[in-house]
């Protein structure tokens, strides 16, 4: 019995063990099945929506259309835009007076509500993008208007009011002054009325035969083809659908001076039912053009802000029209579409045969709309045939059709050029790409290249420019980094080392944006950019646009093709712009014909922009840049100050130049073209970044027109030392300096003859006269520096006191600079009787003075010349008194003496 029970227990244990094993086996099978399924799903072809279709001509199209008409219940009602035909005016349209504001400067005066107001910033953004000069003022509720005229010319060609009510509600005195100015100088006014919760629903615009009706919801925006201001904007178009918001204002008037520009239909007829009859009168003007028939002043009034894209387009036309086309962009627009990273990219993001076929097909379609349109392909040969089999076939098809495209080189291995410190090694990498191009028949003579991630283009990496020229013969490149990535409207071109650098634009497509429905923020964001948004405005406001796209944007959903075909059709639907394409070298020539002032760059400090610092050589450091500058002027004692400062243990001057000695003369002349790498070579690596003070002295910076702006771009936090002596003495010293250097004009003419020479005198004499007299207008030159630097950054050194009591002056300079410790110059300097000024004290109580060219002995200035110059500089010296008083800086001793003698 006991044995039987034992066997039974054993059998039960075996069954339980087998059950556990069975459960464990089932669990393992389930896990393996799940892993296999996951692998299959992740690696099998994905079933996705087909690529979106580009917009059809003026209204149809694919994607999430923004202009689809909707009914009152929000349902879609259709599709194609229809042309607008306005009812004919009763009687003939009166002759509009041609605008002539040629007696004004081409500057826009913008009255804003505050420096932070959104509409004000949007107005300024369009002016800046168009490169129009402007000045902003806070719109005065009461008080004086800014000065409107100078020397018989108007200071402004156009006036813009962010809030038109500030214009119409000006006090009678200022309104009369402004209207008289506008009428006399042919100046127009643009005004905006944006309804607020406190705005009346209906009101008459004060002083005008014009009524406003606000707080409206509108739909179906239309352009009036009879509006005279339309130039870029193409009339006879309707933007169907609801307009955003219920805060629109419409204008109503029976006066013939008002011509509607943009019109819309109310969502509901009830709010405006009492204004009258007839189906054609269901259109109400939201933007009107005042033809000047009422009071002789032409205006354009907007019944909302610039948030809606059509308002921006009409605003650009209004600026051009009201300035007599003086502030007007031409209709020509050049676009170039770069496709970066050809052959580069991970599997699944590259182009296949069908994608290349689509690229060719779209290029052919675009050529019918944009003359000479050609995709510009940038390649890195190392990555050829590194995709899937289908993608490698796509690589081959690109090469089969290589003559159908333009080509430009990237780096062979797509490395960033700033990582190469040896120009020879960098050139070898480029040669590998060139060999690849030659082996595969890719053209190598386009003269254009783009660096990966814009590395080395800006901030400039000298080795890149040298290698580009030696290997590829590059003449043109482009970057989005000059002077900074954002805001995009500030991007500019420049020329360095013979290579033209053009601004490059983004278009919302990056390496990761490859699916329409996965576009960041939703596909509507991409469509919004195309249909009147950022991408559209880029074309509208830039005569030349080079767009950056990537290989991955032309595979998968082919967003590159969708974007540019849609953009071109939208631009041609709504504007009269003439789109065309040129090869990069010709495009660069065209760019600098339009913007010749951009040929010379303004070097920025790479350490003030993280993006710039990331693509700047790690072997370079901003610590080699100076902390203060001696800016001059010449012949005032700047060399002596330089030598005194160099005695301080914590202060280090720049290395001497082989041609300009202790001066670098970087910001004021041709040396600036050498770039900041060249400039930094004049400074050592500081041993203590915090405590070491490096400086340079270039006395011709003081009166240079370009030095202040250039210096502020690279050294915005630097401190400035200016040494001033009596300007009459400075002029005479310069004359004697030129005599010592055998200047014929100085040798053959007395000082009095030089300073009193008539405008008809020989050119060499006038050049010498200018160099004698011009730097002595101290106040005007200091004001130029103060446009870019804060008053706290400027210290005026009394040059006469520097000569008589340098110890006192040097103590004040040290405190201004904040240098520690304070150095005791009493033991470092001694007066040299032979030279007649203070020199460095060396061993044995001997002095070490400046060279023979300093402290020359020459005859006293004649009393006749002294009297002439005293009178010549009288007003300039009074301006200097006012400036120094405003800055809170003491008057130099010589200036006190001049004031006493003139009383």
């Amino acid at each position: 019995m006991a044995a039987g029970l034992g066997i039974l227990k054993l059998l039960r244990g075996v069954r339980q063990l087998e059950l556990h094993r069975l459960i464990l086996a089932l669990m393992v099978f389930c896990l393996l099945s799940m892993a296999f399924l996951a692998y299959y799903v992740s690696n099998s072809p994905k079933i996705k929506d087909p690529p979106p279709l580009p917009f059809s001509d003026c209204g149809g199209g694919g994607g999430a259309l923004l202009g689809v008409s909707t009914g009152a219940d929000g349902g879609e009602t259709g599709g194609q835009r229809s042309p607008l035909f306005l009812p004919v005016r009763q009687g003939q349209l009166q002759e509009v007076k041609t605008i002539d504001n040629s007696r004004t400067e081409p500057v826009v005066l913008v009255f804003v509500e505050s420096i932070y107001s959104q509409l004000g910033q949007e107005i300024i953004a369009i002016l800046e993008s168009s490169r129009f000069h402007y000045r902003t003022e806070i719109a005065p509720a009461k008080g004086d208007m800014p000065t409107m005229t100078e020397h018989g010319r108007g200071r402004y060609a156009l006036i813009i009011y962010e809030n038109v009510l500030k214009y119409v509600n000006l006090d009678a005195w200022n309104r009369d002054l402004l209207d008289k100015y506008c009428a006399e100088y042919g100046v127009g006014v643009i005004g905006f009325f944006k309804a607020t919760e406190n705005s009346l629903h209906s009101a008459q615009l004060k002083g005008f035969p014009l009524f406003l009706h606000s707080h409206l919801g509108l739909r179906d925006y239309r352009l009036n083809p009879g509006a005279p201001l339309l130039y870029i904007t193409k009339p006879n178009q309707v933007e169907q659908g609801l307009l955003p918001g219920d805060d629109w204002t419409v204008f109503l008037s029976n006066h013939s001076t008002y011509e509607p520009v943009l019109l819309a239909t109310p969502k509901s007829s009830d709010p405006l039912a009492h204004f009258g009859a007839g189906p054609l009168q269901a259109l109400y003007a939201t933007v009107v053009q005042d033809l000047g028939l009422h009071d002789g002043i032409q205006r354009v009034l907007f019944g909302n802000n610039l948030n809606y894209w059509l308002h921006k387009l009409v605003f650009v036309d209004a600026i051009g029209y009201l300035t007599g086309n003086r502030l007007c962009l031409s209709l020509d627009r050049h676009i170039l579409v770069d496709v970066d990273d050809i052959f580069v990219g991970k599997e699944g993001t590259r182009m296949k045969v069908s994608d290349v076929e689509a690229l060719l097909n779209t290029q052919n379609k675009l050529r019918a709309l944009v003359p000479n349109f050609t995709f510009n392909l940038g390649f890195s040969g190392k990555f050829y045939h590194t995709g899937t089999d289908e993608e490698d076939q796509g690589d081959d098809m690109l090469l089969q059709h290589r003559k159908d495209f333009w080509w430009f080189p990237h780096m062979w291995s797509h490395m960033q050029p700033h990582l190469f410190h040896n120009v020879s090694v960098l050139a070898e990498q480029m040669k590998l790409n060139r060999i690849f191009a030659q082996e595969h028949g890719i053209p190598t003579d386009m003269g254009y290249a783009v660096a990966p991630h814009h590395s080395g283009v800006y901030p400039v990496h000298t080795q890149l420019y040298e290698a580009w020229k030696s290997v590829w013969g590059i003449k043109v490149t482009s970057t989005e980094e000059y002077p900074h990535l954002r805001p995009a409207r500030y991007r500019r071109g420049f020329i360095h080392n013979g290579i033209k650098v053009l601004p490059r634009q983004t278009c919302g497509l990056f390496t990761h944006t490859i699916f329409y429905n996965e576009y960041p923020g939703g596909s509507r964001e991409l469509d919004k950019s195309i249909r009147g948004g950022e991408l559209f405005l880029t074309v509208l406001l830039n005569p030349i646009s080079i767009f950056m796209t990537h290989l991955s944007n032309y595979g998968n959903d082919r967003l590159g093709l969708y974007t540019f075909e849609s953009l071109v059709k939208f631009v041609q639907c709504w504007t009269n712009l003439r789109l065309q394409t040129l090869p990069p070298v010709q495009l660069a020539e065209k760019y600098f014909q339009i913007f010749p002032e951009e040929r010379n760059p303004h070097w920025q400090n790479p350490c003030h922009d993280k993006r710039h610092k990331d693509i700047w050589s790690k072997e370079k450091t901003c610590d080699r840049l100076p902390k203060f500058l001696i800016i001059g002027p010449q012949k005032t004692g700047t060399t002596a100050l330089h030598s005194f400062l160099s005695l301080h243990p914590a202060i280090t001057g720049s290395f001497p130049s082989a041609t300009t000695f202790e001066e670098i003369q970087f910001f004021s002349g041709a040396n600036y073209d050498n770039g900041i790498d060249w400039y930094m070579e004049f400074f050592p690596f500081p041993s203590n970044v915090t405590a070491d003070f490096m400086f340079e002295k270039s006395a011709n910076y003081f009166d240079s027109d370009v030095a202040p702006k250039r210096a502020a771009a690279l050294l915005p936090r630097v401190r400035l030392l200016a040494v001033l002596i009596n300007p009459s003495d400075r002029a005479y010293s310069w004359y004697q300096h030129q005599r010592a250097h055998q200047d014929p004009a100085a040798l053959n003419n007395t000082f009095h003859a030089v300073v009193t020479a008539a405008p008809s005198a020989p050119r060499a004499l006038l050049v010498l006269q200018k160099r004698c007299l011009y730097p002595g207008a101290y106040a005007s030159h200091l004001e130029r520096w103060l446009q870019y630097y804060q008053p706290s950054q400027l210290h005026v050194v009394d040059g006469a006191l520097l000569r008589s009591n340098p110890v006192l002056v040097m103590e004040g300079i040290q405190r201004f600079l904040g240098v520690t410790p304070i150095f005791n110059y009493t033991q470092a300097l001694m007066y040299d009787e032979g030279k007649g000024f203070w020199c460095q004290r060396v061993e044995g109580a001997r002095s070490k003075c400046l060279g023979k060219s300093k402290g020359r002995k020459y005859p006293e200035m004649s009393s006749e010349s002294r009297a002439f110059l005293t009178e010549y500089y009288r007003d300039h010296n009074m301006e200097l008194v006012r400036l120094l008083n405003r800055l809170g800086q003491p008057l130099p001793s010589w200036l006190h003496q001049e004031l006493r003698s003139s009383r």
Side-chain angles (χ1 to χ4, degrees), residues 475-476 500 502 544 582-596 599:
K475 299 176 181 177
V476 181
K500 297 180 175 71
L502 300 182
I544 293 175
L582 286 175
V585 173
Q586 297 178 38
L587 200 63
E589 292 173 356
K590 175 73 69 175
Y591 184 90
F592 288 106
Q593 288 173 5
I594 300 172
F595 304 115
R599 299 175 67 89

Side-chain angles (χ1 to χ4, degrees), residues 784-801:
R784 190 184 306 112
W785 283 91
L786 291 171
Q787 290 178 19
Y788 301 97
Y789 288 97
Q790 295 297 317
S792 60
Q793 294 175 269
L794 171 68
H795 181 71
V796 174
V797 177
D798 183 343
L801 192 60

Side-chain angles (χ1 to χ4, degrees), residues 190-369:
I190 297 176
F192 295 85
F193 180 81
K194 171 70 172 176
T196 67
E197 59 184 13
N198 298 321
S199 302
L200 297 174
H201 283 264
S202 297
Q204 182 176 1
L205 198 62
K206 182 180 176 181
F208 295 93
L210 186 66
F211 292 86
L212 286 68
H213 199 88
S214 301
H215 301 288
L216 296 176
L218 302 175
R219 61 178 297 113
D220 300 339
Y221 226 169
R222 306 158 188 264
L223 281 160
N224 171 18
L229 68 80
L230 297 183
Y231 175 60
I232 293 178
T233 310
K234 182 178 288 186
N236 289 332
Q237 295 300 335
V238 180
E239 177 77 323
Q240 294 183 354
L242 299 175
L243 300 187
D246 292 316
D247 54 357
W248 292 82
T249 295
V250 298
F251 302 97
L252 300 104
S253 178
N254 290 322
H255 199 290
S256 59
T257 193
Y258 295 108
E259 180 75 22
V261 180
L262 283 170
L263 306 97
T265 305
K267 282 196 297 186
S268 170
S269 59
D270 295 339
L272 290 167
H274 60 285
F275 280 107
L280 288 175
Q281 302 226 344
L283 295 176
Y284 294 94
T286 64
V287 178
V288 293
Q289 180 175 357
D290 182 346
L291 305 178
L293 306 179
H294 171 61
D295 59 4
I297 301 172
Q298 297 200 38
R299 305 175 181 87
V300 177
L301 304 178
F302 289 77
N304 211 305
N305 53 27
L306 287 173
N307 284 348
Y308 196 68
W309 72 269
L310 257 177
H311 279 201
K312 293 185 176 75
L313 184 56
V314 170
F315 178 60
V316 171
D317 273 347
I319 294 171
Y321 183 85
L322 291 177
T323 58
N325 292 330
R326 294 175 70 202
L327 298 178
C328 180
L329 302 172
S330 79
L331 294 178
D332 292 319
R333 296 291 185 276
H334 294 81
I335 61 172
L336 177 65
V337 179
D338 285 352
V339 185
D340 291 358
D341 304 342
I342 294 296
F343 308 132
V344 181
K346 61 183 181 180
E347 293 182 0
T349 66
R350 299 158 65 115
M351 295 175 68
K352 303 174 184 175
V353 169
S354 59
D355 299 319
V356 179
E357 291 173 343
L359 184 71
L360 288 162
N361 182 46
T362 299
Q363 179 171 276
N364 289 332
K365 287 193 292 182
L366 287 175
R367 281 179 175 170
L369 303 172

Side-chain angles (χ1 to χ4, degrees), residues 95-140:
E95 190 75 21
V96 180
K97 182 181 178 181
T98 303
I99 293 176
D100 179 15
N101 57 17
S102 58
R103 293 190 299 128
T104 64
E105 298 300 321
V107 179
V108 180
L109 176 59
V110 184
F111 286 108
V112 297
E113 292 289 87
S114 76
I115 60 175
Y116 305 108
S117 58
Q118 180 181 351
L119 176 54
Q121 292 180 11
E122 290 177 349
I123 292 169
I124 290 169
I126 290 177
L127 295 176
E128 290 179 338
S129 298
S130 306
R131 294 170 168 85
F132 296 155
H133 296 291
Y134 68 93
R135 176 180 174 181
T136 56
E137 292 277 351
I138 304 298

Side-chain angles (χ1 to χ4, degrees), residues 628-633 638 641 645 702 718-724 782 785-786 789-799 801-802 806 808-818 880 884 887-890 892:
F628 69 94
L629 304 175
I630 302 175
I631 60 174
T638 56
L641 178 59
L645 285 166
F702 182 77
V718 81
R719 290 179 176 259
L720 309 171
L721 297 176
V723 185
L724 303 186
L782 289 174
W785 283 91
L786 291 171
Y789 288 97
Q790 295 297 317
S792 60
Q793 294 175 269
L794 171 68
H795 181 71
V796 174
V797 177
D798 183 343
L801 192 60
L802 177 65
L808 178 63
V809 171
M810 296 308 296
E811 183 177 341
I813 290 175
Q814 291 180 83
R815 297 191 186 282
F816 165 72
L817 295 175
L880 181 60
L884 293 177
L887 299 178
Q889 298 212 27

